[in-house]
Amino acid sequence: WFANYLIDFIKYIVPTILSVLFLLALDVKSVVYEDKYGATWAIFILYGFAIVPFAYFTSFVFKDPGNAQVATFFFNYGFGFFGSLVMTTLRFIEGSVQTAKVIGWFPRILPTYCLIYGMNNIANTEQYADFEGLAEPHSPYNFANAGGDILFMGITAILYLIGVFLLEIRRSKNMKHVHDEYVAPKKIDGDVAAEEKAVGASSNEDYTLKIDRLRKVYTAKNKKPVVAVNRLSAGINHGECFVILGVNGAGKTTSFKMLTGEI
């Protein structure tokens, strides 16, 4: 999964760099004027470091990847987007400024909240100063502005990543070795046996993708282990079209999830 983490971050960082450069090209002064632009870079870059492990960490709550994706999206949209807008609005209501500053620290454990609230704080630096009657605006890095958001995204990026590591270690310790006795002997098709033999006798350099007796067994407490994939072998070269055929429950999806590192 760590390889997936790096790929996800790379996929995030490319459009992020382009987006921040577009802000400069369009001369959006509210977020690129003087030291605001540096704070904008910090917010966007740190968001990538924080949101990827956050999504991985919260995915452990769900059994189904689809449910995890939908729930994470709406959670971030609800608390991250609307929560930050509410907090920004409170900072422009007489009598609620200090309350908003204090309460605003708690949702900062959510990276999306830090992203939206941080950008709002950068854009409204002068407006905050005018409303509060300050002689001059605070720096965008001040904790009253985007400093707190930058700090929390840096901290949570580390904490969520450590959390994912700990959960993975705990899960790996609970894994049990399952013997072949759980697999009933089955007649193997001649072509399948030939492919397994060819792949087993080959070196890793012979194929672009080499699958050698891939196996997956699901275990549950007080239940008999279930073999989802058993001795799948295949050798695939560059440019080849490869298809796995099988009835429902044969293990096709599980096989691809293992190959992509999802499980």
Side-chain angles (χ1 to χ4, degrees):
W1 69 264
F2 190 71
N4 286 340
Y5 167 78
L6 293 178
I7 293 173
D8 285 340
F9 183 76
I10 292 172
K11 289 191 295 184
Y12 167 81
I13 203 66
V14 172
T16 293
I17 292 174
L18 293 176
S19 298
V20 181
L21 290 176
F22 274 129
L23 291 175
L24 181 62
L26 296 173
D27 194 26
V28 184
K29 295 188 183 300
S30 60
V31 292
V32 303
Y33 182 69
E34 294 183 345
D35 54 351
K36 286 185 174 185
Y37 195 48
T40 299
W41 272 108
I43 286 284
F44 273 88
I45 297 298
L46 286 173
Y47 179 69
F49 280 107
I51 192 61
V52 175
F54 171 80
Y56 284 16
F57 184 80
T58 54
S59 69
F60 285 92
V61 178
F62 305 90
K63 293 183 178 180
D64 181 72
N67 292 337
Q69 183 179 22
V70 173
T72 301
F73 171 79
F74 282 105
F75 181 80
N76 279 290
Y77 190 77
F79 287 92
F81 183 73
F82 286 108
S84 61
L85 291 182
V86 169
M87 211 58 60
T88 302
T89 303
L90 289 176
R91 292 193 62 173
F92 287 106
I93 297 177
E94 194 72 38
S96 66
V97 176
Q98 294 304 318
T99 302
K101 287 182 178 180
V102 174
I103 297 176
W105 283 95
F106 296 99
R108 280 175 166 145
I109 61 172
L110 306 176
T112 302
Y113 174 88
C114 288
L115 171 69
I116 307 300
Y117 192 45
M119 292 305 297
N120 284 341
N121 289 336
I122 292 173
N124 291 305
T125 299
E126 292 81 10
Q127 288 77 6
Y128 287 158
D130 291 341
F131 186 78
E132 297 175 29
L134 302 177
E136 60 181 27
H138 290 303
S139 164
Y141 298 99
N142 189 286
F143 282 167
N145 292 328
D149 304 290
I150 294 172
L151 174 66
F152 261 72
M153 278 200 284
I155 294 174
T156 55
I158 297 173
L159 293 180
Y160 286 130
L161 189 59
I162 292 174
V164 173
F165 269 111
L166 293 177
L167 288 173
E168 288 286 2
I169 291 172
R170 179 183 177 186
R171 189 168 67 170
S172 65
K173 287 183 177 179
N174 293 332
M175 294 178 65
K176 300 178 181 179
H177 178 71
V178 181
H179 300 281
D180 289 334
E181 63 192 53
Y182 295 110
V183 183
K186 294 182 179 180
K187 183 179 179 180
I188 300 178
D189 183 83
D191 292 336
V192 174
E195 181 74 6
E196 181 178 312
K197 183 178 179 180
V199 170
S202 67
S203 65
N204 293 336
E205 290 75 24
D206 291 338
Y207 298 104
T208 303
L209 175 60
K210 178 181 176 180
I211 310 171
D212 189 7
R213 290 168 294 178
L214 184 66
R215 191 164 185 261
K216 175 66 177 178
V217 180
Y218 288 103
T219 59
K221 190 175 182 180
N222 300 324
K223 291 185 179 180
K224 184 178 179 179
V226 176
V227 179
V229 179
N230 185 37
R231 297 171 63 95
L232 174 64
S233 295
I236 308 168
N237 288 313
H238 181 73
E240 288 186 347
C241 181
F242 177 76
V243 179
I244 295 181
L245 299 177
V247 298
N248 291 340
K252 302 182 297 297
T253 302
T254 302
S255 297
F256 280 108
K257 284 184 176 181
M258 285 192 286
L259 294 175
T260 57
E262 188 174 341
I263 59 174

